[in-house]
Amino acid sequence: MVELKTEAELAVVREAGRMVARVHDAVRARAAVGVTLRELDDLARKILADAGAEPVFLGYQPRFATTPFPGVICTSVNDAALHGIPDGYRLRDGDVLSVDCGAEIDGWVADAATTFIVGTPDPDDGRLIESTRRALDAAINTAVVDARLGDVSYAIGEVARADGYGINTDYGGHGVGRQMHEEPSVPNDGRPGRGMRLRPGLVIAIEPWFMSGGDSSYYVDDDGWTLRTGDGSRAAHMEHTVAITPDGPRVLTLP
Ligand code: MG
Ligand code: MG
């Protein structure tokens, strides 16, 4: 079931989104060569606790997972695209780090991810990240009243194809609100003009993740969570929680 949110409900999701943005800013500022992923998770944990926000990733166990997620952020490094566990890995110069975070306030959830380079950037990694960001922006711009869900998906797939990056639609965007994952599903590729019509009050997380090798295959680590590119190439992941409103798309996870 797709639930449309009221303005008052959107305001609370926005508040949760602000907390998610605060985590992203702080983690990015702290992430440096030699810092462990666990230290970044501890930082995120403290920020959410201080803000009175619930960390929705912690203990999350969807159907595909064999164990509950142990962190409040996902930290995915280099060939890890999604769902990386914040462990004792120490960041190295040139690492591509994707950080995903969800927070809940008063029963309402927001979800966002970003990718950046630690230390010295490699130009190829920079292009991958920039392309993924461009796909997110393009998809957000299509998320207007009376557009179709397929338009949003297509906007993402089009950028990946033009730039030669690999996409896989197994994991992608989703409705968000009372739960982190609600209807509808927002795949990272699709056909324009198809699918559900977007209505005011619909809130969706849009989250392209691109694989630099151009291949669409992936595998999941023995930890049951970390999703890696099949060809070992690097990946980037960008996500915002977005409300469809009569005034256009409203990004709820900005600072
Ligand atoms: Mg997310
Ligand atoms: Mg999400």
Side-chain angles (χ1 to χ4, degrees):
M1 193 194 82
V2 173
E3 186 189 16
L4 302 176
K5 281 78 179 175
T6 65
E7 271 299 329
E9 290 164 348
L10 291 184
V12 189
V13 179
R14 175 74 186 106
E15 215 32 60
R18 240 187 277 279
M19 296 312 133
V20 170
R22 189 179 291 179
V23 167
H24 280 298
D25 286 350
V27 165
R28 186 176 186 136
R30 177 75 61 88
V33 174
V35 173
T36 68
L37 301 178
R38 196 170 287 126
E39 286 173 74
L40 300 179
D41 190 64
D42 288 343
L43 174 65
R45 214 172 275 243
K46 183 171 187 319
I47 289 167
L48 292 182
D50 289 351
E54 292 295 321
V56 290
F57 288 11
L58 187 66
Y60 186 63
Q61 190 169 9
R63 255 193 307 268
F64 68 79
T66 51
T67 55
F69 194 78
V72 308
I73 53 174
C74 296
T75 49
S76 306
V77 179
N78 296 336
D79 65 314
L82 303 173
H83 309 157
I85 292 174
D87 59 13
Y89 175 83
R90 276 183 199 284
L91 290 167
R92 297 180 192 167
D93 192 40
D95 275 350
V96 171
L97 174 62
S98 299
V99 177
D100 198 345
C101 181
E104 178 182 326
I105 291 180
D106 295 338
W108 294 94
V109 175
D111 181 16
T114 191
T115 299
F116 55 89
I117 298 168
V118 177
T120 317
D122 177 291
D124 286 343
D125 294 336
R127 276 190 288 275
L128 170 70
I129 292 169
E130 200 274 326
S131 175
T132 314
R133 188 193 314 278
R134 205 154 15 85
L136 174 58
D137 289 345
I140 290 171
N141 287 332
T142 64
V144 297
V145 174
D146 283 342
R148 301 289 192 129
L149 217 42
D151 300 333
V152 178
S153 297
Y154 177 73
I156 293 170
E158 203 180 29
V159 173
R161 272 184 294 279
D163 293 350
Y165 294 126
I167 40 172
N168 188 299
T169 53
D170 280 3
Y171 295 87
H174 48 90
V176 56
R178 296 180 194 272
Q179 312 281 333
M180 178 161 56
H181 293 127
E182 298 183 347
E183 292 294 314
S185 162
V186 187
N188 283 334
D189 199 8
R191 295 170 67 185
R194 298 297 185 94
M196 202 186 88
R197 197 176 287 281
L198 305 186
R199 290 156 65 195
L202 177 68
V203 179
I204 51 176
I206 303 175
E207 49 178 313
W209 55 282
F210 288 1
M211 300 184 276
S212 62
D215 195 52
S216 64
S217 70
Y218 68 85
Y219 68 95
V220 175
D221 270 358
D222 290 341
D223 65 21
W225 279 100
T226 313
L227 190 154
R228 295 185 188 276
T229 62
D231 59 7
S233 67
R234 295 186 163 191
H237 176 212
M238 294 283 178
E239 178 181 27
H240 273 307
T241 295
V242 180
I244 283 76
T245 81
D247 307 321
R250 189 189 301 167
V251 180
L252 302 174
T253 36
L254 289 172

